[in-house]
Amino acid sequence: MAGSDVAVGIIFLAQTVVGALGNSSLLLHYLVLYFTGCRVRHTDLILQHLIVANLLTLLCKGVPHTMAAFSLEFSLGDVACKLLFYVNRVSRGVSIGSTCLLSIFQAITISPRDSRWAELKVKAPRYIGSSIFLSYILYMLINIIILMHMTGKWNNTTIISLKDFGYCSSVRHDTTTDSLHAALLTFPDVVCLGLMFWASSSTVLILHRHKQRMQQVHKSSSPRSSPESRATKTILLLVSTFVSLYTLSCISQLCLAVIDNPNLFLLNMAAILSGCFPAISPLLLISRDSSASRFCFSCI
């Protein structure tokens, strides 16, 4: 086994273990709050789905890549490959949708009462559950393409041309068809990124105006930031981290889609980038939430 393979395997293993522990601890934290009857915020429902999506993304991507990097003997048939890539893509999409919804909901929540969002501010919490459900449906329908194209690594190699992804393969088409499929899969993600950028910019502008007003009212005092302000900063940190990492991941995924024979370096880099946000996001949430921090570190 080459030294580079061992290094890549260690990265995958560390990313998967740290991310799985962090997301599992946060999910357990929210379950304890739910079953003990504690009052939770409206954003907690979105965060719960984000955590589940991140956990599935890590497991579906990190475990097989770790085994492949350490040259462990395992084989996946057609059904396993289709299911693994499909669940990974759907959970990745739900993670994008949840982060987008989180940033939009927070921008509406902190908007002033005299703004044009005043009426929507009252109604927004009612639509959180249905919005999350729609994101599941959307990404489950779009990623049906994955079920049609993915196959076992050594299946039908003498009949059709396959693109090797390490432990699975996909049917290779001409460049135009692959580009159209990549555009179809990427379009909802680009829309979500645009909405995230708009919502985050609006949130920063609202916070800046609020800070200016507070400075004028309390020039001599420095009041402690409110829970809403701290939650908003947490969400802005999540969204900015997500947009940065996902942009790099999206570029690597597009390269995989249009290149006929992607090399091992590109495959590993795309997998590492796709697992960065699911592994980092629970650490960001734990560091900003004191109660979650105490609970999660005691679990770990």
Side-chain angles (χ1 to χ4, degrees), residues 257-278:
V258 298
I259 296 176
D260 287 339
N261 293 301
N263 56 33
L264 186 60
F265 174 79
L266 183 58
L267 288 171
N268 290 332
M269 185 58 63
I272 291 173
L273 288 173
S274 66
C276 280
F277 179 76

Side-chain angles (χ1 to χ4, degrees), residues 1 62 78 98 157 187 195 273:
M1 185 186 300
D78 286 350
S98 299
T157 51
F187 178 73
L195 291 174
L273 288 173

Side-chain angles (χ1 to χ4, degrees), residues 21-69:
L21 282 175
N23 283 290
S24 299
S25 299
L26 272 177
L27 185 60
L28 182 59
H29 168 67
Y30 284 117
L31 289 175
V32 169
L33 290 180
Y34 175 79
F35 285 112
T36 54
C38 294
R39 183 177 179 272
V40 294
R41 296 164 294 189
H42 294 296
T43 53
D44 287 343
L45 177 61
I46 308 175
L47 288 173
Q48 290 168 24
H49 286 273
L50 175 63
I51 291 167
V52 172
N54 287 340
L55 187 58
L56 288 175
T57 302
L58 280 170
L59 294 178
C60 292
K61 204 74 172 179
V63 173
H65 272 280
T66 301
M67 296 177 67

Side-chain angles (χ1 to χ4, degrees), residues 147-168:
L147 295 177
M148 299 188 310
H149 292 168
M150 294 308 302
T151 182
K153 185 173 181 180
W154 307 112
N155 187 52
N156 297 330
T157 51
T158 59
I159 303 175
I160 56 177
S161 181
L162 297 179
K163 182 185 295 187
D164 187 14
F165 284 100
Y167 50 88
C168 289

